[in-house]
């Protein structure tokens, strides 16, 4: 552990690591070539690999997502790291754009809620209190609420993504994987940057950071911030106002104390604020009822009927609504870590507090009249977590021991005024105007976990890792559900789970690692806020994975291949039921299997090529549910694909430093990301799907010879593909119309940066 802390403190080496890693990628058809590829451009047959790597090939990168500092190429797991060089405007600029850079990962917001899926598993429930299947962390501290995970993406050192269940090290919410955002830390030298962006949609962005010593290497500080403001990607055609705009800012302060070589104390505080009309409900058209069947009662129009009346085609980036979408959210957090290095042993404490509040309003009826459709979400979350981690390292044996406590108090409400509902019952329109569809209440969560994992090297090549985690979680819900009557929703439940793991890795030679693993994952049961829903049982998974990581002698060619099989039980699935109430149930079982192939190559100086290809077969093996298209008659869904689980995906990218006759570097990059069809419901129906599509991104960047300033012209989604990221079938009360979210259109701009 000590040697890694010295690396981080040494600015020159840290910068080398920063430049080291481009997003790992590859395809299986090229993988075999990597195993037999000769060394490229070596000085001699006996060239030292470290020298070749420094001069020609990819540098190593250190990752910490496995709870200890390890070289990425030696981690016996499917893990991808996105470096600082690949983060920022026009590149991986937010959580959503991670999807184009990580194999088998998809991201789509759900009206301001982060919906991350890895290998077909993620957040499927649309109710307050639901948890995702991907553990989301910043500097090792968990950010529990999915709606709170869309901020804070700035001044990052790297992003690490672990694919596959992480039940031993992360426990309660990692049946699909884990994502860890690692922020930049203060250094002993004064440094910083300013980056200013201007783009289409009047996009104005500013990101800056400055840090350095207060008292040499004993006390260091860093302050960073980000500001975003742009016009909307669409408009409310009924009112003429922008929707899906952005007005947000955030800032973070970090203090690093190193009173001795053996002790490091890191303290950070962060605040973010949003106030805009982002995350609108977009109307995608009818399902089981004719267009505007409900709206005709009040003489209303939808986006589709208004366009037809004008002889035009509806643009689903726009809405046609009497309600403006509203997005108000803010949060603050504090994280503190203390690390003590005692030679073979190192001890670390991570404490965190997060406070998050949001209010979102949208229009459920998706029309220009008030048909009991004003949808108001309120959510307040307070979380506290404490974790202790001990690492032991010796020549043959390594161990990780940990204990954690997590507490959350979640307050929330979903309120829909029943304005004009009387018309449905052939009563005066205002009969129920003083009533609401209302879910409100509190859910308290207490979670404990203890875990241990040990690795023993039987030989210089063979290592076996065995570990396990015991988890206990208790949830208590209090509240009421109101819909033409009031029902108390108080309930409580607790669960215990043991999640073991076994990994065998074989270092065939200095360049090739072969591994196999068996892991169990656990996602806690759920009590939704103010919901009549019965207590939802925990979700479990057994995962089996084999993989190989290999490089050429000079590290100019890297290839990774992983194959996996995952067997899920009690998978948690959410939908709107026949009574127009949001419901979550446990699907009986599902199984996912597939493979991921990644390749990176530097065939010549200045040129980097990246490829990845994935195959995913993710289907329910036993699941019966009511189909809204058949009057909610129960149907057998066995064999249907899981939501947000594309069968195939592919990425190809190139990055080239163009030789110049003048000082400085001109870099050009481009990538294409292709994804197969996905379904948004368990019914795999044609009215809730996104077909296969390809996104094209590119950039041209000039950097001065001294790396002090740069200017970049960039573009994303250059072909202006219209991509649905989420699609919900609404309540029968609204004729089960389709609403959802869409990905950004073509965006482009210029970013100017200054480093100091």
């Amino acid at each position: 552990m000590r040697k890694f802390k010295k690396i981080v403190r040494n600015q020159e080496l840290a910068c080398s690591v920063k430049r080291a890693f481009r997003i790992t990628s590859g395809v299986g058809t090229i993988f075999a070539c990597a195993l037999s590829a000769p060394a490229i451009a070596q000085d001699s047959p006996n060239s030292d690999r470290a020298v070749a790597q420094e001069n020609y090939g990819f540098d190593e990168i250190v990752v910490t997502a496995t709870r200890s500092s390890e070289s990425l190429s030696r981690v016996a797991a499917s893990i991808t790291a996105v470096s600082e060089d690949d983060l920022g405007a026009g590149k991986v600029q937010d959580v959503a754009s991670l999807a184009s850079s990580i194999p088998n990962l998809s991201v789509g917001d759900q009206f301001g809620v982060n919906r991350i899926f890895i290998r077909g598993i993620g957040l499927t429930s649309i109710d307050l209190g639901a948890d995702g299947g991907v553990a989301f962390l910043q500097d090792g501290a968990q950010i529990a609420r999915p709606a709170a995970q869309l901020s804070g993406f700035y001044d990052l050192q790297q992003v690490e993504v672990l694919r596959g269940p992480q039940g031993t090290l992360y426990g309660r919410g990692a049946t699909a994987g884990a994502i860890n955002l690692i922020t930049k830390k203060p250094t002993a030298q004064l440094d910083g940057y300013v980056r200013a962006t201007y783009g289409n949609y009047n996009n104005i962005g500013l990101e800056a950071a400055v840090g350095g010593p207060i008292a040499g290497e004993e006390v260091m500080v860093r302050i960073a911030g980000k500001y975003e403001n742009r016009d909307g990607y669409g408009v409310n055609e009924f009112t003429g106002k922008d929707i899906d705009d952005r007005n947000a800012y955030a800032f973070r302060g970090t203090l690093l104390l190193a009173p001795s070589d053996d002790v490091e104390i890191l303290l950070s505080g962060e605040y973010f604020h949003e106030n805009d009309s982002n995350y609108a409900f977009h109307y995608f058209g009818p399902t089981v009822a004719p267009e505007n069947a409900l709206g005709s009662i009040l003489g209303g129009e939808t986006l589709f009927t208004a366009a037809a009346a004008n002889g035009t085609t509806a643009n689903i980036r726009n809405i046609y609504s009497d309600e403006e979408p509203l997005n108000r959210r803010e949060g603050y957090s504090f994280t503190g870590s203390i690390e003590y290095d005692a030679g073979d042993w190192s001890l670390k404490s991570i404490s965190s507090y997060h406070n998050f509040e949001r209010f979102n309003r949208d229009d459920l009826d998706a029309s220009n009249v008030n048909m009991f459709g004003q949808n108001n979400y309120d959510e307040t979350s307070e979380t506290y977590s404490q974790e202790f981690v001990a690492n032991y390292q010796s020549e043959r044996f390594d161990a990780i021991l940990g204990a954690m406590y997590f507490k959350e108090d979640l307050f929330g409400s979903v309120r829909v005024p029943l304005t004009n509902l009387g018309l449905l019952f052939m009563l005066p329109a205002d009969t129920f105007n003083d009533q609401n569809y209302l879910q409100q209440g509190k859910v308290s969560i207490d979670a404990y976990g203890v875990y241990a994992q040990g690795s023993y090297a039987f030989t210089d090549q063979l290592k076996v890792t065995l570990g396990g985690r015991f988890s206990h979680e208790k949830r208590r819900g209090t509240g009421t559900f109101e819909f033409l009557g009031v029902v108390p929703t108080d309930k409580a439940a607790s669960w215990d789970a043991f999640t073991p793991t076994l990994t065998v890795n074989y270092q065939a030679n200095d360049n090739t690692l072969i591994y196999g693993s068996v892991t169990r994952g656990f996602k806690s049961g759920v009590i939704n806020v103010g919901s009549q829903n019965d207590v939802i049982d925990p979700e479990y998974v057994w995962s089996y994975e084999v993989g190989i990581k290999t490089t050429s002698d000079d590290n100019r060619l890297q290839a990774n291949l992983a194959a996996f099989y995952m067997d899920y039980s009690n998978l948690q699935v959410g939908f709107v039921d026949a009574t127009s109430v949001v419901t979550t149930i446990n699907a009986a079982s599902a199984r996912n299997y597939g493979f991921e192939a990644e390749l990176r190559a530097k065939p010549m100086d200045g040129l980097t090529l990246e490829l990845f290809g994935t195959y995913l077969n993710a289907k329910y093996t036993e699941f019966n549910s009511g189909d809204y298209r058949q009057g909610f008659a129960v149907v057998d869904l066995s064999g249907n694909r899981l939501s947000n689980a594309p069968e195939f995906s592919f990425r190809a990218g190139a990055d080239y430093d163009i030789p110049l006759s003048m000082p400085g570097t001109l870099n050009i990059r481009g990538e294409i990301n292709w994804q197969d069809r996905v379904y948004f419901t368990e019914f795999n129906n044609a009215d809730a799907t996104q077909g296969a599509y390809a996104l094209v991104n590119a950039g041209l960047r000039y950097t001065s010879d001294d790396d002090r300033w740069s200017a970049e012209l960039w573009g994303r989604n250059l072909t202006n593909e219209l991509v649905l990221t989420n699609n919900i079938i609404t309540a029968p009360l609204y004729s089960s119309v389709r609403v959802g979210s869409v990905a950004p259109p073509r965006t482009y701009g210029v970013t100017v940066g200054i480093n100091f």
Side-chain angles (χ1 to χ4, degrees):
M1 178 68 69
R2 179 182 300 170
K3 65 181 180 180
F4 289 111
K5 292 203 296 185
K6 290 180 179 178
I7 288 175
V8 172
R9 289 181 184 175
N10 185 304
Q11 186 183 36
E12 180 179 353
L13 289 179
C15 291
S16 176
V17 171
K18 176 183 70 176
R19 293 189 296 267
F21 195 82
R22 302 287 179 184
I23 301 166
T24 56
S25 49
V27 289
T29 54
I30 308 177
F31 180 83
C33 300
L35 296 176
S36 58
I40 302 174
Q42 288 182 297
D43 292 337
S44 68
N46 297 319
S47 293
D48 182 82
R49 186 185 177 204
V51 174
Q53 177 176 315
E54 179 180 353
N55 293 336
Y56 308 114
F58 297 101
D59 292 336
E60 291 287 358
I61 190 169
V62 174
V63 294
T64 59
T66 53
R67 299 294 192 186
S68 62
S69 300
E70 295 183 81
S71 170
L72 183 68
S73 62
R74 298 301 175 99
V75 178
S78 296
I79 179 171
T80 298
V82 183
S83 76
E84 178 194 357
D85 283 348
D86 293 304
L87 300 170
K91 302 177 184 177
V92 179
Q93 56 193 16
D94 50 28
V95 175
S97 53
L98 279 172
S100 62
S101 303
I102 307 294
N104 261 331
L105 183 143
S106 64
V107 182
D109 79 80
Q110 177 179 288
F111 317 127
V113 176
N114 190 25
R115 301 176 73 247
I116 302 176
F117 288 78
I118 296 179
R119 295 176 175 174
I121 299 297
L123 176 63
T124 56
S125 176
I126 58 177
D127 215 338
L128 282 177
D131 295 326
V134 179
F136 195 96
L137 306 100
Q138 182 169 303
D139 293 328
Q142 186 174 19
I143 302 175
R145 285 302 99 212
Q149 297 168 0
L150 297 173
S151 303
F153 209 88
Y154 63 98
D155 197 39
L156 298 177
Q157 178 180 313
Q158 65 189 39
V159 179
E160 300 172 359
V161 180
L162 276 162
R163 300 187 297 280
Q166 307 297 320
T168 297
L169 297 181
Y170 290 100
R172 58 193 298 270
T175 47
I179 296 177
N180 191 18
L181 310 183
I182 301 174
T183 63
K184 282 189 175 182
K185 305 303 183 291
T187 62
Q189 295 80 31
L190 177 66
D191 72 337
Y193 64 88
V194 177
R195 298 191 188 107
T197 295
Y198 183 78
N200 61 333
Y201 298 97
N202 200 29
N203 178 22
I204 298 172
L206 182 65
E207 182 177 330
V210 60
I214 296 178
E217 294 189 359
E218 285 72 41
V219 183
M220 295 163 277
V221 67
R222 187 176 185 87
I223 299 173
K226 184 178 183 179
Y227 170 76
E228 300 174 272
N229 188 287
R230 59 166 168 76
D231 296 339
Y233 291 145
V235 298
N236 184 343
E237 295 182 5
F238 183 64
T239 65
K241 294 183 178 180
D242 276 12
I243 64 167
D244 293 335
D245 60 339
R246 182 76 168 162
N247 182 19
Y249 62 87
F251 53 85
R252 179 190 308 125
T254 306
L255 180 67
L256 178 61
L257 308 174
S260 70
D261 288 342
D262 299 327
V263 177
E264 181 177 281
I265 303 171
L266 189 67
L267 306 173
S268 67
E270 186 165 5
Y271 175 81
F272 65 86
H273 178 88
E274 299 177 19
N275 186 354
D276 47 41
S277 295
N278 210 350
Y279 312 124
F281 276 22
H282 290 262
Y283 178 49
F284 299 148
T287 54
V288 296
E291 172 66 33
N292 205 28
L294 182 60
S296 61
I297 297 175
L298 295 175
E301 290 186 303
T302 68
L303 182 71
F304 283 61
T305 59
N310 293 327
T312 60
T313 301
N315 179 1
I316 64 173
R317 290 199 182 279
N318 299 337
I319 64 174
Y320 198 87
S321 174
D322 64 309
E323 298 289 347
E324 300 293 350
L326 299 178
N327 174 54
R328 312 284 187 265
R329 61 184 66 198
E330 67 176 352
Y332 57 90
S333 62
F334 301 97
T335 302
S337 66
I338 304 173
E339 187 167 5
Y340 173 65
D341 192 335
D344 293 341
W345 281 96
S346 69
L347 305 174
K348 188 172 186 178
S349 166
I350 305 173
S351 308
S352 72
Y353 171 81
H354 289 82
N355 184 289
F356 170 71
E357 298 181 21
R358 73 167 172 125
F359 171 76
N360 286 91
R361 174 180 290 170
D362 280 292
D363 190 7
L364 283 171
D365 61 74
S367 74
N368 67 331
V369 293
N370 191 347
M371 298 185 299
F372 37 91
Q374 184 195 86
N375 188 46
N376 300 276
Y377 270 82
D378 277 291
E379 184 177 37
T380 300
S381 169
E382 282 189 295
T383 65
Y384 170 76
S385 66
Q386 174 62 55
E387 185 162 12
F388 298 100
V389 183
N391 279 273
Y392 173 77
Q393 294 181 334
S394 65
E395 184 176 355
R396 289 288 184 188
F397 179 69
D398 299 336
I400 301 173
L401 305 174
M404 62 78 64
Y405 170 68
F406 174 87
K407 180 176 179 59
E408 180 177 19
D409 289 320
L410 175 64
F411 306 85
S413 69
V414 181
R415 184 175 62 86
V416 181
L418 300 182
T419 308
N420 291 320
L421 181 64
L423 289 173
L424 285 187
F425 299 91
M426 297 183 181
L427 297 172
D430 62 356
T431 301
F432 305 106
N433 280 15
D434 61 344
Q435 298 188 43
N436 298 278
Y437 172 104
L438 179 62
Q439 290 181 229
Q440 64 178 352
K442 170 185 174 181
V443 174
S444 296
I445 302 170
D446 291 277
Y448 305 83
V450 291
Y451 56 92
Q453 182 170 289
S455 300
Y456 185 76
F458 288 90
T459 69
D460 290 341
Q461 295 175 300
L462 180 64
K463 179 189 287 187
V464 176
T465 300
L466 181 64
R469 181 188 189 107
F470 174 78
S471 300
H472 172 80
E473 180 140 351
K474 182 177 181 179
R475 299 198 179 201
R476 299 174 300 279
T478 58
T480 57
F481 175 81
E482 177 183 342
F483 186 34
L484 302 179
V486 180
V487 179
T489 61
D490 299 357
K491 54 180 74 77
S494 61
W495 306 274
D496 297 324
F498 178 68
T499 48
T501 186
L502 171 66
T503 302
V504 178
N505 54 296
Y506 179 71
Q507 195 72 45
N509 52 52
D510 287 344
N511 302 342
T512 302
L513 170 70
I514 303 171
Y515 69 89
S517 65
V518 180
T519 304
R520 192 186 193 209
F522 156 75
K523 187 169 82 170
S524 171
V526 176
I527 295 176
N528 288 322
V529 174
S531 174
Q532 293 188 98
N533 213 130
D534 292 335
V535 174
I536 301 114
D537 291 331
E539 181 178 296
Y540 295 94
V541 58
W542 278 102
S543 175
Y544 310 87
E545 181 172 329
V546 294
I548 184 169
K549 298 182 176 183
T550 188
T551 68
S552 59
D553 286 339
D554 58 5
N555 215 26
R556 280 199 167 202
L557 186 64
Q558 297 181 343
N560 303 326
L561 181 66
F564 56 88
Y565 180 92
M566 299 186 294
D567 187 6
Y568 284 88
S569 59
N570 280 342
L571 198 66
Q572 298 167 2
V573 179
F575 56 91
V576 181
D577 68 14
T579 64
S580 296
V581 174
V582 176
T583 302
T584 304
I585 63 174
N586 292 104
S589 59
R591 61 100 186 94
N592 300 5
Y593 63 85
F595 67 82
E596 299 157 351
E598 306 172 275
L599 177 70
R600 297 190 306 151
K602 284 190 173 182
M604 57 183 289
D605 290 341
L607 176 63
T608 301
L609 302 176
E610 301 170 339
L611 295 169
F612 76 57
T614 70
Y615 168 73
L616 177 63
N617 190 308
K619 295 183 178 181
Y620 296 105
T621 54
E622 184 181 348
F623 185 21
N624 297 312
S625 185
D627 188 347
Y628 65 93
R629 298 167 300 171
Q630 302 180 42
F632 287 89
V634 175
V635 296
D636 183 3
L637 301 176
S638 302
N640 281 15
R641 293 190 65 84
L642 272 63
S643 301
N644 287 277
E647 187 173 12
F648 295 99
S649 65
F650 173 81
R651 177 183 186 270
D655 189 298
Y656 181 56
D657 292 333
I658 302 173
L660 298 176
S661 59
M662 56 181 286
T665 303
L666 185 64
N667 175 269
I668 186 171
R669 58 181 173 80
E671 64 178 13
I672 182 169
N673 301 274
W674 181 86
Q675 178 180 287
D676 208 350
R677 176 179 298 277
V678 297
Y679 295 101
F680 296 114
T681 76
E682 60 273 23
F683 302 103
N684 290 188
N685 43 313
D687 55 10
T689 184
Q690 168 61 54
Y693 65 90
L695 297 179
V696 178
N697 306 321
L700 182 66
R701 175 188 176 98
Y702 174 79
T703 305
S704 65
D705 193 47
D706 58 3
D707 201 32
R708 295 298 297 273
W709 69 273
S710 63
E712 180 175 10
L713 180 66
W714 53 266
R716 294 186 62 84
N717 188 11
L718 291 176
T719 57
N720 202 29
E721 293 288 329
L722 179 62
V723 178
L724 279 59
T725 60
N726 187 40
N727 188 338
I728 294 174
I729 307 300
T730 62
L733 197 62
Y734 307 104
S735 302
S736 298
V737 299
R738 299 180 292 147
V739 297
S741 304
V742 292
R746 178 193 296 118
T747 56
Y748 52 86
V750 60
T751 299
V752 178
I754 300 175
N755 299 320
F756 55 88

